C-alpha cells in the first residue's frame, strides 16, 4: 500500500517525552506514535497534495508543504484545545507551568 513505508529514527527505548508533561498524560507508545503519524499524513495528503495536482516541480511541493505546516501549527483552530492554534496552546501551557526564577541580591 503506498505511503506505508514510514521510518522513525531511534528505537522505542530511546523515545522520550518532555519532563514537564502532565502526570495524567498517557505515555507515547510506538502504536500511538504510528497512529498519530498516519493520521497527520492522511490529513496532509487530503488537504494539500491531492487537491494541488498536478505538481510540476519538487520546489512547488516543498513550498506548499512549508506553508501548510505553518498554517497547521500557527493558524489552525483546534476544537479540543479551546479553538486556538496549537502553537498558542503550547505557549500558554509553558507560561502557566514554568516556575519563575527567584534571584536575590546581597
Amino acid at each position: 500500500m503506498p505511503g506505508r513505508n514510514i521510518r522513525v529514527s531511534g528505537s522505542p527505548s530511546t523515545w522520550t517525552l518532555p519532563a514537564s508533561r502532565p502526570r495524567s498524560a498517557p505515555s507515547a507508545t510506538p502504536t500511538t506514535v504510528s497512529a498519530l503519524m498516519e493520521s497527520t499524513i492522511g490529513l496532509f495528503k487530503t488537504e494539500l497534495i491531492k487537491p494541488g495536482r498536478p505538481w510540476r516541480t519538487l520546489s512547488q511541493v516543498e513550498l506548499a508543504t512549508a506553508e501548510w505546516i505553518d498554517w497547521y501549527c500557527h493558524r489552525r483552530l483546534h476544537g479540543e484545545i479551546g479553538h486556538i492554534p496549537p502553537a498558542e496552546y503550547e505557549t500558554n501551557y509553558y507560561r502557566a507551568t514554568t516556575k519563575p526564577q527567584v534571584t536575590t541580591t546581597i
Side-chain angles (χ1 to χ4, degrees), residues 53-70:
R53 290 184 202 167
W55 296 98
R56 302 203 190 291
T57 66
L58 179 59
S59 295
Q60 283 182 328
V61 176
E62 289 173 341
L63 179 60
T65 299
E67 290 171 346
W68 186 83
I69 291 170
D70 179 67

Side-chain angles (χ1 to χ4, degrees), residues 20-59:
S20 61
R21 75 179 174 87
R23 296 265 184 237
S24 61
S27 62
T29 63
T31 304
T32 57
V33 170
S34 180
L36 179 60
M37 286 174 30
E38 287 188 26
S39 175
T40 304
I41 290 168
L43 182 64
F44 170 74
K45 288 179 178 179
T46 300
E47 291 185 353
L48 179 71
I49 298 300
K50 292 176 183 174
R53 290 184 202 167
W55 296 98
R56 302 203 190 291
T57 66
L58 179 59
S59 295

